[in-house]
Amino acid sequence: MRILLVEDDHLLGRTMLDMLRADQHTVDWVDDGQQALNALMNEHFDLAILDLTLPRVDGLDIVRHIRQEGNRLPVIILTARAELEEKLQGLDAGADDYLTKPFAMAELKARIRAVTRRTSSTSRDELIVGRLALDTASGRLTVGTESVTLARSEFQILQYMMRHPDQVATRRRLEEQLYGWEPGAESNALEVHIHHLRRRVGKATIRTIRGVGYLLDSQAACGVPECP
């Protein structure tokens, strides 16, 4: 799962970043409200953990803005504002949950599990391109009559490409799905994941755009004669 962490307390932010990555999440961390809003409007995330008192743009304004734009991204507000009225404002603005500081990391993990379960059960998100069907809640890929649960890295890459079929996905953008905005560990890791995905979806379905990146070909994903 790719998470946007928005927290301007650097000590707390670093602790949360390490904890979430230890749970195998891809995490991007910003400490500024405007940066957070830009990221949410231009990138795909599975969850946002959002402080309220932020430089430039307040967290409540961020939640209101993305909801007005139709973004259903699950949002957990994390803040020192503990008054009931402020909690109600956060929930009324469109947040899915509200956790006050100080908090136990175990509780945050439980809230993340609860929010993602709740949102996946109320709005099941299945991506379909040709014969490919990807359940984004479970990570299960169905190709024709065969199904498999993808490894996290393969899921992150294929999910992005299925959301943008027939569009070139640059190496940088795909690596962001794996590592966030920090540099990845191995230079050839992306090629290895693409190789594994091609074995599942067909070599012609994921085309190499030399010197740029990769493209999910919706016509190749249809196969013959399953799609017109």
Side-chain angles (χ1 to χ4, degrees):
M1 180 163 62
R2 189 179 182 194
I3 298 174
L4 179 66
L5 172 62
V6 188
E7 173 57 65
D8 64 343
D9 181 328
H10 284 209
L11 179 60
L12 177 58
R14 176 56 62 183
T15 300
M16 294 173 64
L17 186 70
D18 293 342
M19 180 272 291
L20 293 168
R21 286 180 174 169
D23 280 357
Q24 303 304 307
H25 298 301
T26 300
V27 186
D28 293 308
W29 173 28
V30 296
D31 60 2
D32 175 276
Q34 187 62 57
Q35 290 178 332
L37 186 56
N38 292 343
L40 290 169
M41 297 302 294
N42 295 292
E43 302 275 353
H44 171 75
F45 297 94
D46 302 298
L47 173 73
I49 300 174
L50 180 66
D51 193 8
L52 290 187
T53 305
L54 295 165
R56 295 205 288 174
V57 181
D58 186 79
L60 279 180
D61 291 331
I62 293 173
V63 177
R64 293 189 185 105
H65 187 85
I66 66 171
R67 293 300 188 238
Q68 288 171 359
E69 294 295 318
N71 190 332
R72 299 179 300 164
L73 174 76
V75 175
I76 297 176
I77 286 177
L78 192 65
T79 181
R81 301 180 190 176
E83 296 298 324
L84 176 60
E85 182 62 30
E86 292 174 325
K87 292 182 181 180
L88 294 177
Q89 286 179 3
L91 296 173
D92 288 342
D96 297 274
D97 204 349
Y98 197 115
L99 188 60
T100 55
K101 303 174 183 178
F103 61 92
M105 290 297 176
E107 183 178 4
L108 176 59
K109 291 182 182 182
R111 298 291 183 103
I112 291 172
R113 292 192 297 270
V115 165
T116 52
R117 278 198 308 268
R118 187 162 65 245
T119 54
S120 64
S121 65
T122 56
S123 58
R124 190 176 186 84
D125 191 357
E126 185 177 44
L127 301 175
I128 298 176
V129 179
R131 299 174 65 234
L132 312 182
L134 181 64
D135 185 334
T136 61
S138 66
R140 192 158 190 81
L141 171 68
T142 300
V143 183
T145 58
E146 298 183 1
S147 295
V148 63
T149 299
L150 297 177
R152 186 192 73 88
S153 296
E154 293 177 22
F155 169 76
Q156 294 287 81
I157 293 170
L158 187 60
Q159 175 184 224
Y160 181 84
M161 298 186 77
M162 288 182 69
R163 291 186 187 276
H164 306 86
D166 301 316
Q167 298 179 32
V168 177
T170 64
R171 287 185 56 90
R172 176 179 175 275
R173 183 52 58 90
L174 292 177
E175 287 174 345
E176 284 177 354
Q177 307 308 305
L178 298 176
Y179 312 114
W181 295 319
E182 294 191 359
E186 300 177 12
S187 60
N188 68 336
L190 180 60
E191 284 81 0
V192 172
H193 297 314
I194 292 290
H195 173 73
H196 290 160
L197 282 171
R198 280 174 168 156
R199 294 175 61 183
R200 302 187 189 283
V201 304
K203 184 176 180 180
T205 301
I206 300 178
R207 292 166 44 197
T208 299
I209 308 301
R210 192 170 302 278
V212 181
Y214 299 91
L215 179 147
L216 182 70
D217 189 319
S218 62
Q219 287 299 311
C222 281
V224 179
E226 288 81 357
C227 298

